[in-house]
Amino acid sequence: MRWLIGLFLFISLALFGGYIILKGYPYRLYSNWTQGKNWNKYYYIPKYRESYLKPVAIQEITPYVEDYKQLWKPFPLRNALVPLPVRHPLFQTIPLVEYTGKNSAPQMGMIILAPNGRELSRLYTLPTSMYQDHSQGQELFKLPFVRNRILKLAVDSVWKDIFSHEIVVKSKSMDEMIYDLYILYLRSKILPKETIRYGLMKNGSQALIELESKDRDYSVEVIFTQQNGSIYAYALKTERNSVESKKLRSKFLEEITFNPIDQAMGKILYTEFKQLNFARQVDQEGMLYLFSAWSQEVENVELLREMIFYLERGRSNTRQLRALYTYSLKQYGKTFTTRKIFSESDDPNLVLQRKIEIENIEKKQQAEISKQAPPQPVELTPDEKMNLYLKKAREEGPAAKNDMTIH
């Protein structure tokens, strides 16, 4: 009898111990994986970082106080609506347009300079992307028990939690562990390797990622907005120790919105440009209208050509023109220059190309002039002249009686 009782106790303890082990096994896996340890075929993050566990709270945006509100106007740059200074005494604007390939749209943006020429802010618009489905990115997520829970998650909620949810390694329910591992994996796919901090701002409507900057005087941030599965973004470079630069950052963070690229808007802007007087057309104001219009239809080379034409007839537009010359040469093999304006700081290759184009223009103009000029009389030899006089004399006949010849 005693041995039966002993056997029963042994089996009971073994079952209880097995239950404890099985119950704790998922948590041990979760604990190891969230700390970057003991990967297996079911879950693996190649470049795990501890920063994936906890976002950093983003400071509230300081309101931008402007003394010249009437000198700002929102301009569309690709898919972003960006407030830009127009004839502002404290800022200059330089277009950003970078070649990305013959068959792709350029990367576009704007540089804001102080009156002394120092860069205060640099803004790039980024292409619209779609929210990616990563629900099958790990073997763990393909298990029916796990996948059913992931598919129930709302995209908007998950997007916000990528930038706000803190993963705390402690005992929790199975659903909570699955969600933590899913968010951890999404962060590994979405956050660039240069990420310093990330978090939400503007009451959760925008996400911000700060990246490592090659220039210690400037910070670099990427701002995201997710709307109905579409992800809009722009990159912002800010001078760390400049009060004015920080004010510009606040203005951009507060006021930039997003819209789809719209050629009709480009045509409206072009019409508004044509309504400006000539002095404003050849100034940076005119450039903003044309650059913004062109950003809605980058394949329209005539808009680019016209923008260069007007800037070349203004004053102090060398830096604005340099960016357009460089892009035009890479994309079209020519700069579309029409004036002999050169600077010592210009790229020698650009100068050479522009001189070639101007020389070709002058040759073409000279050829047109030559076509329109009346034909020049042919110079006759002395014998040809004598024959011509004799012919005229025969045609006129003998002299009349009253003609007088003086010797």
Side-chain angles (χ1 to χ4, degrees):
M1 187 69 179
R2 289 181 178 178
W3 68 270
L4 286 173
I5 296 173
L7 179 62
F8 175 76
L9 289 174
F10 174 78
I11 294 173
S12 299
L13 289 173
L15 291 173
F16 181 73
Y19 170 76
I20 295 299
I21 292 173
L22 289 174
K23 183 175 177 59
Y25 184 65
Y27 174 74
R28 285 202 301 276
L29 288 176
Y30 163 80
S31 177
N32 287 330
W33 289 343
T34 51
Q35 296 177 73
K37 300 184 295 185
N38 297 340
W39 308 117
N40 59 30
K41 69 173 186 177
Y42 287 99
Y43 195 84
Y44 172 59
I45 295 179
K47 296 180 180 179
Y48 170 89
R49 283 178 290 170
E50 193 175 344
S51 61
Y52 292 157
L53 298 177
K54 184 180 180 180
V56 176
I58 304 299
Q59 295 180 350
E60 291 294 325
I61 303 171
T62 305
Y64 180 81
V65 180
E66 170 61 56
D67 294 330
Y68 306 97
K69 292 182 180 180
Q70 69 278 15
L71 299 182
W72 288 86
K73 177 179 173 62
F75 286 93
L77 295 180
R78 299 300 287 164
N79 57 13
L81 192 62
V82 183
L84 292 172
V86 179
R87 302 179 69 84
H88 200 295
L90 300 180
F91 304 115
Q92 301 179 55
T93 50
I94 308 292
L96 273 172
V97 51
E98 295 185 359
Y99 177 81
T100 58
K102 287 289 185 182
N103 299 319
S104 56
Q107 188 173 41
M108 305 183 76
M110 195 67 62
I111 299 174
I112 310 295
L113 303 181
N116 62 3
R118 181 169 176 79
E119 182 175 320
L120 293 174
S121 184
R122 178 181 295 234
L123 184 145
Y124 283 101
T125 60
L126 301 176
T128 305
S129 60
M130 299 302 294
Y131 179 79
Q132 302 265 334
D133 179 16
H134 295 289
S135 62
Q136 298 195 59
Q138 298 280 351
E139 291 298 317
L140 175 68
F141 302 156
K142 297 178 183 179
L143 299 176
F145 177 83
V146 177
R147 183 160 177 76
N148 288 338
R149 282 155 177 76
I150 290 176
L151 292 178
K152 292 179 181 178
L153 301 173
V155 171
D156 290 347
S157 177
V158 171
W159 174 258
K160 288 184 178 181
D161 281 347
I162 291 171
F163 298 95
S164 62
H165 178 67
E166 182 178 354
I167 299 173
V168 180
V169 182
K170 65 179 182 179
S171 180
K172 55 184 64 176
S173 69
M174 185 69 72
D175 285 359
E176 290 176 315
M177 288 191 288
I178 290 171
Y179 189 67
D180 283 356
L181 292 173
Y182 186 53
I183 292 295
L184 185 68
Y185 175 68
L186 291 178
R187 287 173 181 167
S188 75
K189 301 299 291 184
I190 292 174
L191 300 178
K193 64 179 181 180
E194 303 87 359
T195 299
I196 296 174
R197 64 186 181 115
Y198 60 98
L200 290 177
M201 60 181 187
K202 289 187 70 174
N203 298 320
S205 63
Q206 290 185 350
L208 181 147
I209 300 175
E210 183 178 352
L211 305 176
E212 295 175 1
S213 176
K214 295 179 181 179
D215 190 336
R216 66 178 63 183
D217 292 335
Y218 293 85
S219 64
V220 177
E221 298 167 314
V222 182
I223 294 86
F224 296 90
T225 297
Q226 190 271 137
Q227 297 176 0
N228 301 320
S230 296
I231 299 175
Y232 300 93
Y234 64 93
L236 185 61
K237 182 178 178 182
T238 305
E239 190 174 8
R240 297 183 189 275
N241 297 320
S242 168
V243 174
E244 205 61 49
S245 183
K246 291 179 179 178
K247 287 182 178 179
L248 287 173
R249 174 183 180 271
S250 295
K251 187 173 186 67
F252 291 144
L253 293 179
E254 279 286 348
E255 298 184 16
I256 288 179
T257 57
F258 297 95
N259 290 302
I261 295 171
D262 185 0
Q263 291 186 12
M265 177 57 69
K267 290 179 172 57
I268 293 172
L269 288 163
Y270 183 75
T271 301
E272 291 180 2
F273 166 79
K274 285 298 187 180
Q275 293 172 352
L276 300 176
N277 61 44
F278 184 75
R280 296 171 70 179
Q281 286 179 337
V282 300
D283 192 28
Q284 292 174 35
E285 180 182 6
M287 178 206 70
L288 290 176
Y289 279 94
L290 287 182
F291 187 72
S292 179
W294 180 54
S295 77
Q296 304 300 295
E297 192 180 359
V298 292
E299 64 278 5
N300 188 339
V301 66
E302 293 305 317
L303 275 175
L304 175 61
R305 189 197 303 268
E306 192 167 354
M307 182 163 38
I308 292 172
F309 176 87
Y310 279 98
L311 280 173
E312 286 183 336
R313 279 143 187 82
R315 296 181 179 179
S316 304
N317 291 332
T318 302
R319 297 184 67 169
Q320 287 81 359
L321 283 164
R322 188 181 303 141
L324 301 177
Y325 289 151
T326 302
Y327 171 76
S328 299
L329 184 58
K330 290 180 179 179
Q331 180 70 16
Y332 300 106
K334 58 181 68 176
T335 64
F336 301 117
T337 188
T338 57
R339 294 198 73 181
K340 294 180 180 179
I341 305 173
F342 301 104
S343 170
E344 294 180 358
S345 61
D346 284 346
D347 182 346
N349 293 327
L350 279 178
V351 172
L352 177 60
Q353 175 63 30
R354 292 183 58 222
K355 286 182 177 179
I356 292 172
E357 290 180 38
I358 290 171
E359 184 178 344
N360 291 336
I361 291 172
E362 291 176 344
K363 287 180 179 179
K364 187 176 180 180
Q365 291 174 343
Q366 189 61 43
E368 291 294 328
I369 293 172
S370 298
K371 287 181 181 178
Q372 297 173 5
Q376 296 294 325
V378 180
E379 185 68 24
L380 301 177
T381 64
D383 290 341
E384 289 173 335
K385 289 181 179 179
M386 180 60 69
N387 292 333
L388 181 62
Y389 295 150
L390 292 172
K391 182 180 179 183
K392 287 183 176 180
R394 286 194 297 271
E395 291 175 351
E396 292 174 357
K401 291 181 179 181
N402 56 352
D403 284 348
M404 182 181 294
T405 300
I406 301 174
H407 298 280

